Amino acid sequence: NNAGDDGFDLSTKIKNQSSISPDTDHGEISSIREEKKHSISSVIGKKYDLQTNQVRECLRPRKISVSEHSCQALPTPIINLGFPKMGSSSAHAFFGCGGLTSMHYRCNYAKACAECIRESIEAGEPPFSRCDKADAYTQIDANTKPDYSFPQIEYLENIVLGVKKATFLLPFRNMENWYKSVREWHAMKMRLARSNITGLPQGKGKTLKELSDWFCWHVERVRDIVKRNPGHVLVEYDIEDPSTGDFMGELFGIGSNCWGQANTNTQLHPELNGTSISIPWVVKNRRGPRNEVLFTESNEKEINNEIKTNAPTLTPTQSLDYSDSCFRARSDTIPTSLYNKLPRPIINLGFPKMGTTSIHAFFGCGNYSSMHYQCSPTYACGECMRRSVEEDLPPFAKCDHAPAEVYAQIDYYDTKNILHYLPQTELLEEIVHGYPNATFLLTFRSMDKWYDSVRNW
């Protein structure tokens, strides 16, 4: 890439400097050559030297890119033009916490955002016309076959020109940290290298330098096209900057406590706490969707004791200490803005013998379509989930023709291999990444009682 930092072609820039003629003496020739050498090295060094990442303009967010006038009423939709593993889940959680509708990876039940954007543009329609309407689209790229799909690259002009007024997000982070995340996240580095993406030819993207140069190219392209279309606003921010929560909160009028690091690789980044929403389970009805009796007098007392409070009092024993927070449900983790409009599907990530049948009956009583253990006439939920992931599909893709609103129990007993298979542990990252707009349930009960139930079932 010969482009200099000022946007002019580097070869033209050097050519237009003082030229060498036959009449030029050796001293002047030497001076001119040194000037050219210095000019080339200063441009290349500023832009490509990995030792000076901190001073490369294309690797730093410009907070002044948002004018004071624009801050008063940022237009919607909000569209993230950044790359994967650059805080898209955090942005999704942030806007959801602030009461905005947000799409992340999937723009409806059936399709990834990248797919419906491509279909819209190919049909000559506005880029999001075939996607579900939302205030924010926080991840639009997708791992689609055969290549990784990047609408923010391949259809950048269509998106910028096809949406009348939008707020575009351009997130940044330390390149070395990003490279580690890409390398460790489900073979993403390998998938990028084998794809044929504009700006990153097939076979490229294996090294820190190649990915950094690609990122720089994208940043400069986004800055240029948004600058040429003043109806839009470009928001640049560093996801690793401690002040980003305050900056985003003030910019969008959302509490800064809504900002956090979600969907992080905790093994790679133990310093980051992934954000989550946990819903304490409460059975409010005693009859199922067909008015059948669900509980008998013999177990009614036990059930009432189990659901008496959202955070049951746990009695320590001599061998185990149950006072840790991991044994208690947190009842204050759901923002009030999400009440009565929690996203779907609703997926239970809890363990067996922790009220899965009660959850299934509860949602069925409320006229939700709910799956419990069996997700199709042929397969248990866990089995079809495993098959889906093995074929590089979303976890529930092969489970049923009509997606359910609730999956109350997804683990199952594998009679062939004589083992209990738990997708909520084995496929946890695939589930969360595949359904980022979901509501996840995490159920609790007395450990002594749970142990007795597991032992005697």
Side-chain angles (χ1 to χ4, degrees), residues 265-299:
N265 187 330
T266 53
Q267 292 182 343
L268 197 59
H269 304 288
E271 75 282 3
L272 301 180
N273 295 318
T275 59
S276 64
I277 295 178
S278 62
I279 305 175
W281 66 283
V282 179
V283 179
K284 294 184 178 179
N285 301 281
R286 290 290 181 251
R287 293 182 177 271
R290 296 177 181 83
N291 207 38
E292 70 271 25
V293 177
L294 297 174
F295 310 110
T296 63
E297 292 182 3
S298 61
N299 66 10

Side-chain angles (χ1 to χ4, degrees), residues 48-225:
Y48 292 106
D49 186 359
L50 294 176
Q51 301 301 319
T52 58
N53 274 356
Q54 289 78 8
V55 300
R56 294 166 71 188
E57 186 182 351
C58 59
L59 297 177
R60 292 178 301 169
R62 304 172 304 168
K63 290 186 178 180
I64 59 170
S65 63
V66 185
S67 67
E68 185 177 349
H69 174 72
S70 298
C71 290
Q72 296 174 4
L74 291 175
T76 55
I78 301 163
I79 304 170
N80 182 14
L81 298 179
F83 281 178
K85 302 310 297 173
M86 284 215 176
S88 63
S89 296
S90 296
H92 175 60
F94 171 74
F95 291 116
C97 178
L100 300 180
T101 56
S102 177
M103 297 289 179
H104 182 275
Y105 192 87
R106 293 197 169 275
C107 280
N108 55 45
Y109 271 131
K111 293 178 181 178
C113 298
E115 294 180 84
C116 59
I117 291 173
R118 176 182 55 78
E119 290 179 357
S120 301
I121 292 172
E122 288 181 351
E125 301 170 359
F128 292 91
S129 63
R130 301 199 175 194
C131 307
D132 285 358
K133 188 175 181 180
D135 297 314
Y137 299 91
T138 52
Q139 182 180 348
I140 59 175
D141 52 89
N143 178 28
T144 55
K145 293 181 179 180
D147 292 337
Y148 211 109
S149 179
F150 280 88
Q152 62 266 54
I153 292 178
E154 310 300 340
Y155 300 117
L156 178 60
E157 290 194 358
N158 302 81
I159 293 172
V160 173
L161 298 177
V163 180
K164 290 184 178 180
K165 287 188 177 182
T167 296
F168 295 112
L169 304 181
L170 192 58
F172 292 73
R173 70 181 298 190
N174 174 277
M175 284 290 101
E176 291 183 358
N177 291 343
W178 180 53
Y179 178 74
K180 291 176 183 176
S181 290
V182 169
R183 184 181 61 192
E184 300 295 333
W185 188 262
H186 302 290
M188 180 179 287
K189 182 167 72 78
M190 180 186 70
R191 286 186 275 123
L192 290 175
R194 76 185 181 198
S195 299
N196 188 19
I197 306 167
T198 300
L200 193 72
Q202 196 169 34
K204 295 290 185 180
K206 297 178 181 179
T207 67
L208 172 60
K209 183 181 185 301
E210 289 174 348
L211 285 179
S212 298
D213 290 349
W214 180 48
F215 178 77
C216 267
W217 168 80
H218 177 64
V219 167
E220 292 178 343
R221 188 168 174 237
V222 169
R223 286 173 173 173
D224 176 66
I225 192 170

Side-chain angles (χ1 to χ4, degrees), residues 384-405:
C384 60
M385 291 175 71
R386 178 177 54 78
R387 290 172 178 264
S388 299
V389 172
E390 287 176 352
E391 295 185 23
D392 203 22
L393 296 171
F396 292 102
K398 297 182 74 66
C399 288
D400 200 4
H401 296 297
E405 295 174 287

Side-chain angles (χ1 to χ4, degrees), residues 13-67:
K13 183 174 183 179
I14 302 303
K15 187 185 299 182
N16 289 338
Q17 293 182 4
S18 45
S19 57
I20 300 175
S21 69
D23 298 328
T24 308
D25 62 35
H26 293 292
E28 290 176 347
I29 292 174
S30 177
S31 174
I32 291 170
R33 284 175 176 166
E34 275 303 310
E35 186 180 348
K36 289 183 179 181
K37 181 179 178 182
H38 173 73
S39 177
I40 295 172
S41 63
S42 64
V43 174
I44 294 179
K46 183 179 178 184
K47 190 171 184 179
Y48 292 106
D49 186 359
L50 294 176
Q51 301 301 319
T52 58
N53 274 356
Q54 289 78 8
V55 300
R56 294 166 71 188
E57 186 182 351
C58 59
L59 297 177
R60 292 178 301 169
R62 304 172 304 168
K63 290 186 178 180
I64 59 170
S65 63
V66 185
S67 67

Side-chain angles (χ1 to χ4, degrees), residues 281 299 302-303 306 351-356 420 444-457:
W281 66 283
N299 66 10
E302 180 183 355
I303 291 170
E306 290 175 9
F351 280 178
K353 303 309 297 172
M354 286 218 178
T356 60
H420 202 97
F444 295 75
R445 69 181 295 191
S446 159
M447 287 291 101
D448 290 330
K449 291 180 179 179
W450 181 54
Y451 177 73
D452 288 339
S453 290
V454 170
R455 184 181 60 184
N456 295 318
W457 183 257

